[in-house]
Amino acid sequence: MINKCLFPAAGYGTRFLPATKAMPKEMLPIVNKPLIQYGVEEAMEAGCTGMAIVTGRGKRAIEDHFDISYELEHQISGTNKEQQLEGIRALMQNCSFSYTRQHEMKGLGHAIYTAQTLIGNEPFCVLLADDLCINQGGKGVLAQMVELYHKYRCCVVAIEEVAMEEVHKYGVILGQEMASGVYQVQDMVEKPKTEEAPSNLAVIGRYILTPDIFEVLKHTPPGKNNEIQITDALLQQAQEKLVLAYKFEGKRYDCGSVEGFIQATNDFYQLQR
């Protein structure tokens, strides 16, 4: 079983300044819930109960959100406002939350390596909260990936097709389709130029990783943007063993961009009406 989900949440969220000057981007609300709560709900649906969060300076609001606010609880006790806390209460009752700090921003690979002390020697999920995913009427993206992991017992990344002019924003895979929507990774390039991209199959913020990834990351040199890239570590694994890419069912919103954030807000508001 996969019990833990890692949330890298140390980034600055500069595309949302000045809103993120004092507030973590993971706490930006889509309607009435912060991005990271949607992520934790998806992880719990997939069977994870241990939420490991990599934070940095100025991220205390995340810890406070997944904790009891005695003053607030007292103020709304016995009122109809209490029902608005039912979702977050359920998460707090069913999940444990642990935190560690990434002191330097050295890339996603470094953030994942920083979390080794929280994860230990077991397979785990990684969820980037600013990739908000929904699959109306079906299983969440992580739950779909966990099923795939149980079948193949290897690293799995979620992918979607993007326009070729957008590939420079993503890690991009080249793969051999071995089942419908399931690819064996043969190559993986971080943020390639359009003319150098191996395909238009882009990795989004959902991963399942085996614990040996930590040893690979330990020896992975800085790559694109002089950062330690999880893409480079996964490529090394793909050259030695099976790594899968999964074209998931559902829709992804890039809430790391203002346009994606606004679209998600509008769509989720319509869903809740």
Side-chain angles (χ1 to χ4, degrees):
M1 296 294 293
I2 296 181
N3 299 309
K4 293 180 180 177
C5 185
L6 169 63
F7 295 81
Y12 295 120
T14 53
R15 282 185 281 184
F16 283 88
L17 286 171
T20 50
K21 181 176 181 290
M23 179 175 69
K25 66 175 181 176
E26 295 81 11
M27 290 300 296
L28 290 171
I30 300 295
V31 189
N32 61 344
K33 281 194 297 191
L35 280 168
I36 196 166
Q37 184 173 335
Y38 286 100
V40 171
E41 289 171 349
E42 182 182 333
M44 190 171 78
E45 182 212 359
C48 298
T49 56
M51 308 300 168
I53 304 177
V54 177
T55 66
R57 292 186 63 191
K59 300 283 185 167
R60 280 289 304 278
I62 296 175
E63 297 184 40
D64 290 341
H65 183 68
F66 295 107
D67 198 358
I68 297 173
S69 173
Y70 291 101
E71 297 84 353
L72 176 63
E73 297 271 351
H74 175 73
Q75 287 295 323
I76 66 174
S77 178
T79 73
N80 59 3
K81 296 289 186 182
E82 274 195 290
Q83 66 184 25
Q84 294 176 247
L85 292 181
E86 288 177 356
I88 186 66
R89 283 173 174 171
L91 295 180
M92 291 163 53
Q93 289 167 1
N94 291 287
C95 303
S96 62
F97 296 84
S98 56
Y99 303 86
T100 192
R101 282 199 172 192
Q102 184 184 14
H103 299 293
E104 298 178 82
M105 303 300 105
K106 294 183 178 180
L108 178 57
H110 181 260
I112 292 171
Y113 183 71
T114 300
Q116 183 175 9
T117 184
L118 302 179
I119 300 298
N121 188 34
E122 59 185 279
F124 61 103
C125 300
V126 178
L127 190 151
L128 306 187
D130 51 9
D131 271 346
L132 176 58
C133 296
I134 186 171
N135 185 29
Q136 278 291 99
K139 293 182 179 178
V141 175
L142 271 187
Q144 297 170 42
M145 295 172 68
V146 166
E147 285 189 351
L148 197 61
Y149 171 80
H150 286 158
K151 183 175 182 180
Y152 292 99
R153 303 285 174 170
C154 66
C155 290
V156 184
V157 300
I159 55 170
E160 68 174 3
E161 293 188 44
V162 300
M164 286 303 296
E165 57 267 25
E166 298 288 310
V167 293
H168 68 279
K169 301 177 181 178
Y170 300 92
V172 179
I173 70 115
L174 175 67
Q176 177 70 40
E177 191 167 19
M178 50 190 287
S180 179
V182 180
Y183 298 78
Q184 181 176 352
V185 174
Q186 298 169 323
D187 195 10
M188 189 178 287
V189 184
E190 180 67 22
K191 297 181 174 64
K193 296 178 181 178
T194 302
E195 62 274 14
E196 297 174 355
S199 74
N200 69 330
L201 296 175
V203 180
I204 65 111
R206 301 290 186 277
Y207 306 78
I208 293 179
L209 303 176
T210 50
D212 54 338
I213 194 69
F214 293 120
E215 187 63 24
V216 178
L217 284 167
K218 182 178 180 180
H219 301 287
T220 298
K224 192 79 172 184
N225 300 327
N226 201 35
E227 296 178 336
I228 298 172
Q229 302 290 349
I230 187 62
T231 303
D232 296 338
L234 284 168
L235 175 58
Q236 182 176 331
Q237 283 203 317
Q239 293 168 346
E240 299 171 356
K241 58 183 70 174
L242 184 65
V243 173
L244 297 180
Y246 172 61
K247 193 183 292 184
F248 60 91
E249 296 179 9
K251 182 173 183 178
R252 163 189 166 262
Y253 297 89
D254 178 12
C255 293
S257 71
V258 174
E259 296 81 5
F261 181 83
I262 296 299
Q263 184 184 1
T265 300
N266 290 335
D267 288 359
F268 276 65
Y269 173 72
Q270 293 299 325
L271 287 171
Q272 293 181 23
R273 291 183 66 182

